Amino acid sequence: AQSVAQPEDQVNVAEGNPLTVKCTYSVSGNPYLFWYVQYPNRGLQFLLKYITGDNLVKGSYGFEAEFNKSQTSFHLKKPSALVSDSALYFCAVRPYNFNKFYFGSGTKLNVKP
Amino acid sequence: DGGITQSPKYLFRKEGQNVTLSCEQNLNHDAMYWYRQDPGQGLRLIYYSQIVNDFQKGDIAEGYSVSREKKESFPLTVTSAQKNPTAFYLCASSAEALAGVYEQYFGPGTRLTVT
């Protein structure tokens, strides 16, 4: 069965500090991995994706994510957090052979001034 | 949210009534999806469609129905058989993954409240 886990319901960081939002997955074959962000009462916005190649993927708004095949993880990172980064973040996985997406339960990121 | 519209933004219904949520996209995407979002549960797939006139049940299809008569449109009907219909509903679309891997684009969502 395909699944995505985001082990932290909430992550708190101070502005200017680095942030990490964790994601692990279980999917058959080589997966395609995505990160999305959601602001209150809005739809999800795409941040970045991993398809193949370099394990470090760079995306929108200074975010990046590191793919680790042996640990089946795809953690979202940013070197210096902003208060405006406060939002709900979702990790998603798509099997290589089917256009269906599986989402994690979301992690609320709080960045304090 | 660009390219996908959902209407209305807020919807209120009495228990026992069917209600239809609209989703339209102008991205020329083949695939469309409906998700339900509840606090602490992330997104759960209700129905998805890879092509016009074809759709498949997702993980929580009971009490819902869809149609895909046009490429641009994928309306969702919440029937009276859905036990807990109050939720935030999100529509999404993506290009068909034959020549690449494409992310989903999401609409702004419809918040349905049934009392």
Side-chain angles (χ1 to χ4, degrees), chain B residues 59-79:
Chain B
D59 301 316
I60 55 165
E62 185 175 351
Y64 299 97
S65 65
V66 294
S67 63
R68 187 84 188 277
E69 298 176 0
K70 298 187 298 181
K71 189 175 186 177
E72 307 78 31
S73 179
F74 191 41
L76 173 74
T77 297
V78 184
T79 74

PDB file of all heavy atoms in Angstrom, chain B residues 59-79:
ATOM      1  N   ASP B  59     -10.490   6.927  -2.161  1.00  0.00           N
ATOM      2  CA  ASP B  59     -10.495   6.198  -0.886  1.00  0.00           C
ATOM      3  C   ASP B  59     -11.786   6.377  -0.079  1.00  0.00           C
ATOM      4  O   ASP B  59     -12.103   5.567   0.780  1.00  0.00           O
ATOM      5  CB  ASP B  59      -9.306   6.660  -0.042  1.00  0.00           C
ATOM      6  CG  ASP B  59      -7.991   6.428  -0.763  1.00  0.00           C
ATOM      7  OD1 ASP B  59      -7.829   5.350  -1.350  1.00  0.00           O
ATOM      8  OD2 ASP B  59      -7.135   7.342  -0.755  1.00  0.00           O
ATOM      9  N   ILE B  60     -12.528   7.457  -0.343  1.00  0.00           N
ATOM     10  CA  ILE B  60     -13.716   7.743   0.464  1.00  0.00           C
ATOM     11  C   ILE B  60     -14.888   8.154  -0.437  1.00  0.00           C
ATOM     12  O   ILE B  60     -15.533   9.170  -0.218  1.00  0.00           O
ATOM     13  CB  ILE B  60     -13.444   8.830   1.519  1.00  0.00           C
ATOM     14  CG1 ILE B  60     -12.892  10.116   0.857  1.00  0.00           C
ATOM     15  CG2 ILE B  60     -12.457   8.343   2.572  1.00  0.00           C
ATOM     16  CD1 ILE B  60     -12.954  11.327   1.779  1.00  0.00           C
ATOM     17  N   ALA B  61     -15.216   7.347  -1.430  1.00  0.00           N
ATOM     18  CA  ALA B  61     -16.218   7.716  -2.430  1.00  0.00           C
ATOM     19  C   ALA B  61     -17.660   7.564  -1.948  1.00  0.00           C
ATOM     20  O   ALA B  61     -18.580   8.128  -2.564  1.00  0.00           O
ATOM     21  CB  ALA B  61     -16.005   6.883  -3.686  1.00  0.00           C
ATOM     22  N   GLU B  62     -17.892   6.832  -0.892  1.00  0.00           N
ATOM     23  CA  GLU B  62     -19.261   6.570  -0.462  1.00  0.00           C
ATOM     24  C   GLU B  62     -19.994   7.858  -0.109  1.00  0.00           C
ATOM     25  O   GLU B  62     -19.516   8.674   0.679  1.00  0.00           O
ATOM     26  CB  GLU B  62     -19.277   5.639   0.752  1.00  0.00           C
ATOM     27  CG  GLU B  62     -20.675   5.229   1.180  1.00  0.00           C
ATOM     28  CD  GLU B  62     -20.673   4.220   2.313  1.00  0.00           C
ATOM     29  OE1 GLU B  62     -19.575   3.715   2.644  1.00  0.00           O
ATOM     30  OE2 GLU B  62     -21.750   3.950   2.866  1.00  0.00           O
ATOM     31  N   GLY B  63     -21.178   8.036  -0.707  1.00  0.00           N
ATOM     32  CA  GLY B  63     -21.967   9.224  -0.444  1.00  0.00           C
ATOM     33  C   GLY B  63     -21.677  10.379  -1.390  1.00  0.00           C
ATOM     34  O   GLY B  63     -22.250  11.456  -1.237  1.00  0.00           O
ATOM     35  N   TYR B  64     -20.809  10.143  -2.346  1.00  0.00           N
ATOM     36  CA  TYR B  64     -20.448  11.167  -3.333  1.00  0.00           C
ATOM     37  C   TYR B  64     -20.670  10.621  -4.745  1.00  0.00           C
ATOM     38  O   TYR B  64     -20.632   9.423  -4.963  1.00  0.00           O
ATOM     39  CB  TYR B  64     -18.973  11.562  -3.199  1.00  0.00           C
ATOM     40  CG  TYR B  64     -18.577  12.146  -1.876  1.00  0.00           C
ATOM     41  CD1 TYR B  64     -17.992  11.352  -0.887  1.00  0.00           C
ATOM     42  CD2 TYR B  64     -18.765  13.500  -1.601  1.00  0.00           C
ATOM     43  CE1 TYR B  64     -17.611  11.883   0.336  1.00  0.00           C
ATOM     44  CE2 TYR B  64     -18.384  14.041  -0.383  1.00  0.00           C
ATOM     45  CZ  TYR B  64     -17.802  13.223   0.580  1.00  0.00           C
ATOM     46  OH  TYR B  64     -17.431  13.754   1.785  1.00  0.00           O
ATOM     47  N   SER B  65     -20.882  11.537  -5.688  1.00  0.00           N
ATOM     48  CA  SER B  65     -20.923  11.157  -7.091  1.00  0.00           C
ATOM     49  C   SER B  65     -20.307  12.272  -7.926  1.00  0.00           C
ATOM     50  O   SER B  65     -20.257  13.426  -7.496  1.00  0.00           O
ATOM     51  CB  SER B  65     -22.359  10.881  -7.553  1.00  0.00           C
ATOM     52  OG  SER B  65     -23.133  12.063  -7.506  1.00  0.00           O
ATOM     53  N   VAL B  66     -19.801  11.899  -9.106  1.00  0.00           N
ATOM     54  CA  VAL B  66     -19.167  12.873  -9.998  1.00  0.00           C
ATOM     55  C   VAL B  66     -19.597  12.598 -11.433  1.00  0.00           C
ATOM     56  O   VAL B  66     -20.175  11.564 -11.748  1.00  0.00           O
ATOM     57  CB  VAL B  66     -17.624  12.813  -9.924  1.00  0.00           C
ATOM     58  CG1 VAL B  66     -17.116  13.253  -8.566  1.00  0.00           C
ATOM     59  CG2 VAL B  66     -17.126  11.416 -10.285  1.00  0.00           C
ATOM     60  N   SER B  67     -19.277  13.544 -12.302  1.00  0.00           N
ATOM     61  CA  SER B  67     -19.434  13.361 -13.745  1.00  0.00           C
ATOM     62  C   SER B  67     -18.266  14.062 -14.423  1.00  0.00           C
ATOM     63  O   SER B  67     -17.678  14.993 -13.867  1.00  0.00           O
ATOM     64  CB  SER B  67     -20.761  13.925 -14.240  1.00  0.00           C
ATOM     65  OG  SER B  67     -20.815  15.331 -14.026  1.00  0.00           O
ATOM     66  N   ARG B  68     -17.927  13.605 -15.622  1.00  0.00           N
ATOM     67  CA  ARG B  68     -16.863  14.254 -16.392  1.00  0.00           C
ATOM     68  C   ARG B  68     -17.279  14.264 -17.860  1.00  0.00           C
ATOM     69  O   ARG B  68     -16.767  13.547 -18.704  1.00  0.00           O
ATOM     70  CB  ARG B  68     -15.539  13.493 -16.217  1.00  0.00           C
ATOM     71  CG  ARG B  68     -14.355  14.209 -16.858  1.00  0.00           C
ATOM     72  CD  ARG B  68     -13.742  15.247 -16.011  1.00  0.00           C
ATOM     73  NE  ARG B  68     -12.736  16.050 -16.661  1.00  0.00           N
ATOM     74  CZ  ARG B  68     -11.446  15.688 -16.812  1.00  0.00           C
ATOM     75  NH1 ARG B  68     -11.032  14.496 -16.403  1.00  0.00           N
ATOM     76  NH2 ARG B  68     -10.597  16.513 -17.380  1.00  0.00           N
ATOM     77  N   GLU B  69     -18.224  15.131 -18.153  1.00  0.00           N
ATOM     78  CA  GLU B  69     -18.758  15.235 -19.514  1.00  0.00           C
ATOM     79  C   GLU B  69     -17.913  16.151 -20.390  1.00  0.00           C
ATOM     80  O   GLU B  69     -17.950  16.054 -21.616  1.00  0.00           O
ATOM     81  CB  GLU B  69     -20.203  15.710 -19.467  1.00  0.00           C
ATOM     82  CG  GLU B  69     -21.124  14.741 -18.733  1.00  0.00           C
ATOM     83  CD  GLU B  69     -22.540  15.270 -18.597  1.00  0.00           C
ATOM     84  OE1 GLU B  69     -22.804  16.402 -19.069  1.00  0.00           O
ATOM     85  OE2 GLU B  69     -23.381  14.570 -18.008  1.00  0.00           O
ATOM     86  N   LYS B  70     -17.176  17.046 -19.760  1.00  0.00           N
ATOM     87  CA  LYS B  70     -16.300  17.962 -20.487  1.00  0.00           C
ATOM     88  C   LYS B  70     -14.925  17.948 -19.841  1.00  0.00           C
ATOM     89  O   LYS B  70     -14.799  17.748 -18.636  1.00  0.00           O
ATOM     90  CB  LYS B  70     -16.861  19.390 -20.446  1.00  0.00           C
ATOM     91  CG  LYS B  70     -18.206  19.564 -21.087  1.00  0.00           C
ATOM     92  CD  LYS B  70     -18.593  21.041 -21.146  1.00  0.00           C
ATOM     93  CE  LYS B  70     -18.708  21.643 -19.775  1.00  0.00           C
ATOM     94  NZ  LYS B  70     -19.110  23.074 -19.817  1.00  0.00           N
ATOM     95  N   LYS B  71     -13.917  18.205 -20.627  1.00  0.00           N
ATOM     96  CA  LYS B  71     -12.551  18.201 -20.105  1.00  0.00           C
ATOM     97  C   LYS B  71     -12.371  19.248 -19.023  1.00  0.00           C
ATOM     98  O   LYS B  71     -11.625  19.056 -18.067  1.00  0.00           O
ATOM     99  CB  LYS B  71     -11.581  18.461 -21.256  1.00  0.00           C
ATOM    100  CG  LYS B  71     -10.120  18.270 -20.902  1.00  0.00           C
ATOM    101  CD  LYS B  71      -9.257  18.433 -22.145  1.00  0.00           C
ATOM    102  CE  LYS B  71      -7.809  18.100 -21.851  1.00  0.00           C
ATOM    103  NZ  LYS B  71      -6.958  18.191 -23.068  1.00  0.00           N
ATOM    104  N   GLU B  72     -13.077  20.372 -19.168  1.00  0.00           N
ATOM    105  CA  GLU B  72     -12.863  21.498 -18.263  1.00  0.00           C
ATOM    106  C   GLU B  72     -13.593  21.370 -16.929  1.00  0.00           C
ATOM    107  O   GLU B  72     -13.308  22.109 -15.997  1.00  0.00           O
ATOM    108  CB  GLU B  72     -13.335  22.802 -18.926  1.00  0.00           C
ATOM    109  CG  GLU B  72     -12.750  23.083 -20.292  1.00  0.00           C
ATOM    110  CD  GLU B  72     -13.412  22.279 -21.399  1.00  0.00           C
ATOM    111  OE1 GLU B  72     -14.606  21.966 -21.292  1.00  0.00           O
ATOM    112  OE2 GLU B  72     -12.703  21.938 -22.373  1.00  0.00           O
ATOM    113  N   SER B  73     -14.540  20.466 -16.836  1.00  0.00           N
ATOM    114  CA  SER B  73     -15.453  20.480 -15.711  1.00  0.00           C
ATOM    115  C   SER B  73     -15.524  19.128 -15.007  1.00  0.00           C
ATOM    116  O   SER B  73     -15.587  18.078 -15.664  1.00  0.00           O
ATOM    117  CB  SER B  73     -16.850  20.886 -16.205  1.00  0.00           C
ATOM    118  OG  SER B  73     -17.768  20.891 -15.142  1.00  0.00           O
ATOM    119  N   PHE B  74     -15.571  19.163 -13.669  1.00  0.00           N
ATOM    120  CA  PHE B  74     -15.610  17.918 -12.884  1.00  0.00           C
ATOM    121  C   PHE B  74     -16.434  18.189 -11.620  1.00  0.00           C
ATOM    122  O   PHE B  74     -15.898  18.273 -10.516  1.00  0.00           O
ATOM    123  CB  PHE B  74     -14.190  17.491 -12.536  1.00  0.00           C
ATOM    124  CG  PHE B  74     -14.053  16.101 -11.963  1.00  0.00           C
ATOM    125  CD1 PHE B  74     -14.780  15.041 -12.477  1.00  0.00           C
ATOM    126  CD2 PHE B  74     -13.163  15.847 -10.922  1.00  0.00           C
ATOM    127  CE1 PHE B  74     -14.628  13.759 -11.974  1.00  0.00           C
ATOM    128  CE2 PHE B  74     -13.006  14.580 -10.400  1.00  0.00           C
ATOM    129  CZ  PHE B  74     -13.732  13.528 -10.927  1.00  0.00           C
ATOM    130  N   PRO B  75     -17.743  18.304 -11.740  1.00  0.00           N
ATOM    131  CA  PRO B  75     -18.579  18.615 -10.570  1.00  0.00           C
ATOM    132  C   PRO B  75     -18.717  17.434  -9.615  1.00  0.00           C
ATOM    133  O   PRO B  75     -18.749  16.273 -10.044  1.00  0.00           O
ATOM    134  CB  PRO B  75     -19.930  18.978 -11.200  1.00  0.00           C
ATOM    135  CG  PRO B  75     -19.935  18.264 -12.516  1.00  0.00           C
ATOM    136  CD  PRO B  75     -18.511  18.237 -12.991  1.00  0.00           C
ATOM    137  N   LEU B  76     -18.806  17.764  -8.353  1.00  0.00           N
ATOM    138  CA  LEU B  76     -18.950  16.766  -7.283  1.00  0.00           C
ATOM    139  C   LEU B  76     -20.300  16.968  -6.598  1.00  0.00           C
ATOM    140  O   LEU B  76     -20.613  18.080  -6.176  1.00  0.00           O
ATOM    141  CB  LEU B  76     -17.838  16.937  -6.246  1.00  0.00           C
ATOM    142  CG  LEU B  76     -17.942  16.086  -4.982  1.00  0.00           C
ATOM    143  CD1 LEU B  76     -17.579  14.634  -5.281  1.00  0.00           C
ATOM    144  CD2 LEU B  76     -17.036  16.638  -3.878  1.00  0.00           C
ATOM    145  N   THR B  77     -21.081  15.893  -6.494  1.00  0.00           N
ATOM    146  CA  THR B  77     -22.349  15.944  -5.762  1.00  0.00           C
ATOM    147  C   THR B  77     -22.187  15.222  -4.437  1.00  0.00           C
ATOM    148  O   THR B  77     -21.754  14.070  -4.393  1.00  0.00           O
ATOM    149  CB  THR B  77     -23.488  15.314  -6.576  1.00  0.00           C
ATOM    150  OG1 THR B  77     -23.690  16.084  -7.777  1.00  0.00           O
ATOM    151  CG2 THR B  77     -24.788  15.306  -5.779  1.00  0.00           C
ATOM    152  N   VAL B  78     -22.518  15.942  -3.388  1.00  0.00           N
ATOM    153  CA  VAL B  78     -22.523  15.360  -2.044  1.00  0.00           C
ATOM    154  C   VAL B  78     -23.961  14.947  -1.767  1.00  0.00           C
ATOM    155  O   VAL B  78     -24.856  15.793  -1.706  1.00  0.00           O
ATOM    156  CB  VAL B  78     -22.024  16.377  -1.000  1.00  0.00           C
ATOM    157  CG1 VAL B  78     -21.945  15.730   0.372  1.00  0.00           C
ATOM    158  CG2 VAL B  78     -20.680  16.961  -1.415  1.00  0.00           C
ATOM    159  N   THR B  79     -24.196  13.666  -1.637  1.00  0.00           N
ATOM    160  CA  THR B  79     -25.569  13.190  -1.482  1.00  0.00           C
ATOM    161  C   THR B  79     -25.952  13.080  -0.008  1.00  0.00           C
ATOM    162  O   THR B  79     -25.090  13.157   0.881  1.00  0.00           O
ATOM    163  CB  THR B  79     -25.758  11.827  -2.154  1.00  0.00           C
ATOM    164  OG1 THR B  79     -25.134  10.820  -1.356  1.00  0.00           O
ATOM    165  CG2 THR B  79     -25.157  11.818  -3.561  1.00  0.00           C
TER     166      THR B  79
END
